[in-house]
Amino acid sequence: MAQRSNRSSKKGFPRARLLTDANEDTLLACGVDPASLPYLAPKLIHRNLLIKRVKLFAANILKQSMLSIGGDVAVNRNVISGNTEFSDCLLMGDLRHFSLLLAKLSLQKGLEAIAQTIQEQIFPPLGPLCRDFCSHSHTWRDLPVIMGILNVTPDSFSDGGLWLDPSKAIDHGIQMEQDGADLIDVGGESSRPGAQEVGGVQEISRVIPIIESLATRVSIPISIDTTKAEVARAAIDAGATVINDISALSKDPDMMKIARSTGAGVVLMHMRGSPETMQENTSYGDIIDEIITYLDLRIEACLDAGIRSTSLIVDPGMGFAKTHDGNLCILHHIAEFRSLGVPVLLGHSRKSTIGSILDCAADDREEGTDAVSAWAAIQGVDFLRVHDVKRAFRIRKIISSIRAEKP
């Protein structure tokens, strides 16, 4: 809701403004003693951290500890009387509060896991994004990383049939790198709602010639968009180094083995059912919590199988077993998926939710895609999977320039 205009004369009043951002320079401009910066700067950043199913004794300790240092914790109403075994806890405070809380928790036995969780969520390591794909380490300083979509299918919802000619597909992949793509995602099977599965042999025949050629002609990683181990194996042999699996390595029991043995990067996406049936199962209680829980379990399954955490990426699966409102909820809360501790990918390009809002066909959704790309970039999404690489690259460049406060 817009702020109402009620300006009257302010002569004699102090001039004031709500700051979009405040940092150490802002503090120094107020004339503070530089020696006070370590004390004041953490107070500029507020965080709300939700920790689920905390045991009663731990919830009480968190509540009392945060209150003692000026923060607070919202807990179940029955915590104070002891009439509950567990409580969700919403911790509220600035960075200084959380730093002091960690110091207090270090003296408490039995709270090591909670302390580590707080440390990882509130004080994550900073720096460029790094992932390991097939024994090669990749580092990106310009974020979000742009993944260009190259569908060699006759029936994909947006670009089906455009790149069936191998020579056109290869030229398009090369052009995407020139336009600023950091990865190229090659797919040989449509995953649009209602799409029917194709056989592995047919899928391989579509993607392998493209991957083999691109692997010798581009310098950026290539991913294979598939749920089949035989396709993933063939693609990696041809030069791909990332497996982008909409089933989160759950459909084909051999997919985990391929990912582990090759060291390929892995994109784990949330979906219910299959593309053919997924839109029949779109009801959720708490959609964000359910997606995060699912992806957390899939991450743990990968780690248990011997797949390195530095190879993993998660995708909340916009448009896969989601309603229009569910997709918007994902976008609104997209930053929360970073709590999983691995990079977040968003596949939003030309999706039906954009079409519903703008009342336009799939080939007329670029401005809507751009708006979501910009929102996702500002919210800290790590990878954008898009059809039009050049537009995403320009969006990233503008946002990066604004953040750096230089033209």
Side-chain angles (χ1 to χ4, degrees), residues 127-130 138-145 182 396 400:
L129 176 61
C130 300
H138 297 271
T139 300
W140 298 277
R141 289 176 171 79
D142 295 326
L143 300 177
V145 176
D182 302 296
R396 183 178 72 184
S400 296

Side-chain angles (χ1 to χ4, degrees), residues 146-151 159 163 168-187 210 214 218 220-222 385-391 393 396:
I146 299 171
M147 174 187 279
I149 301 169
L150 181 53
N151 288 322
D159 54 358
W163 314 115
K168 290 183 179 180
I170 292 164
D171 288 344
H172 185 55
I174 294 169
Q175 185 62 51
M176 284 197 290
E177 181 183 31
Q178 295 173 354
D179 288 342
D182 302 296
L183 291 93
I184 298 174
D185 189 40
V186 181
I210 311 304
L214 286 177
V218 300
I220 56 178
I222 299 169
R385 183 177 181 272
V386 295
H387 295 89
D388 194 321
V389 167
K390 181 180 287 187
R391 296 176 76 110
F393 178 83
R396 183 178 72 184

Side-chain angles (χ1 to χ4, degrees), residues 340-356:
L340 288 162
V342 299
V344 176
L345 180 149
L346 180 64
H348 59 291
S349 186
R350 303 177 184 172
K351 290 288 177 74
S352 62
T353 292
I354 295 171
S356 296

Side-chain angles (χ1 to χ4, degrees), residues 52-286:
K52 306 281 288 185
R53 285 184 59 80
V54 177
K55 290 182 179 180
L56 175 61
F57 85 95
N60 272 309
I61 292 174
L62 288 174
K63 176 76 171 179
Q64 296 306 316
S65 296
M66 279 294 265
L67 284 173
S68 72
I69 55 181
D72 208 342
V73 180
V75 297
N76 186 290
R77 69 184 69 182
N78 293 315
V79 164
I80 192 170
S81 63
N83 291 327
T84 183
E85 187 177 356
F86 297 95
S87 173
D88 291 352
C89 294
L90 178 59
L91 285 65
M92 300 167 280
D94 59 39
L95 295 188
R96 181 173 175 272
H97 292 134
F98 282 101
S99 181
L100 292 172
L101 175 63
L102 286 171
K104 284 179 170 288
L105 295 183
S106 68
L107 305 175
Q108 297 280 351
K109 292 183 178 181
L111 297 181
E112 293 83 2
I114 289 178
Q116 182 176 337
T117 297
I118 295 171
Q119 176 70 43
E120 292 173 350
Q121 295 291 330
I122 303 298
F123 302 103
L126 302 177
L129 176 61
C130 300
R131 290 290 90 182
D132 295 324
F133 302 156
C134 289
S135 302
H136 289 85
S137 181
H138 297 271
T139 300
W140 298 277
R141 289 176 171 79
D142 295 326
L143 300 177
V145 176
I146 299 171
M147 174 187 279
I149 301 169
L150 181 53
N151 288 322
V152 286
T153 58
D155 56 344
S156 290
F157 80 95
S158 172
D159 54 358
L162 286 179
W163 314 115
L164 279 178
D165 183 330
S167 62
K168 290 183 179 180
I170 292 164
D171 288 344
H172 185 55
I174 294 169
Q175 185 62 51
M176 284 197 290
E177 181 183 31
Q178 295 173 354
D179 288 342
D182 302 296
L183 291 93
I184 298 174
D185 189 40
V186 181
E189 179 181 45
S190 174
S191 56
R192 62 178 172 77
Q196 295 184 344
E197 185 175 351
V198 302
V201 173
Q202 184 177 14
E203 192 175 341
I204 287 172
S205 71
R206 291 173 177 176
V207 300
I208 298 307
I210 311 304
I211 294 172
E212 284 180 335
S213 180
L214 286 177
T216 64
R217 301 177 67 179
V218 300
S219 60
I220 56 178
I222 299 169
S223 66
I224 175 63
D225 182 358
T226 187
T227 60
K228 302 180 184 70
E230 61 180 311
V231 178
R233 176 78 262 183
I236 292 171
D237 289 343
T241 58
V242 180
I243 301 168
N244 181 12
D245 185 348
I246 62 174
S247 77
L249 305 189
S250 67
K251 180 181 176 183
D252 190 324
D254 291 328
M255 194 67 102
M256 285 276 192
K257 301 174 187 176
I258 298 295
R260 181 185 66 246
S261 63
T262 62
V266 176
V267 180
L268 302 169
M269 197 194 78
H270 174 273
M271 178 180 65
R272 290 172 168 175
S274 66
E276 189 173 4
T277 64
M278 62 187 179
Q279 292 310 110
E280 300 170 6
N281 192 4
T282 60
S283 179
Y284 298 85
D286 181 337

Side-chain angles (χ1 to χ4, degrees), residues 142-143 393-407:
D142 295 326
L143 300 177
F393 178 83
R394 289 176 171 178
I395 289 167
R396 183 178 72 184
K397 191 170 185 178
I398 292 293
I399 291 175
S400 296
S401 296
I402 294 171
R403 280 177 168 159
E405 299 182 17
K406 63 182 180 182

Side-chain angles (χ1 to χ4, degrees), residues 1-57:
M1 184 178 294
Q3 180 176 326
R4 295 185 179 182
S5 176
N6 57 356
R7 174 66 190 248
S8 58
S9 175
K10 299 296 182 182
K11 289 181 179 179
F13 283 60
R15 188 159 51 87
R17 76 180 192 272
L18 285 172
L19 298 180
T20 301
D21 186 26
N23 52 36
E24 291 188 357
D25 289 338
T26 316
L27 294 170
L28 291 172
C30 291
V32 304
D33 186 338
S36 68
L37 288 179
Y39 178 80
L40 293 175
K43 294 185 175 183
L44 297 173
I45 303 174
H46 187 92
R47 292 285 185 264
N48 298 312
L49 177 63
L50 177 64
I51 305 180
K52 306 281 288 185
R53 285 184 59 80
V54 177
K55 290 182 179 180
L56 175 61
F57 85 95

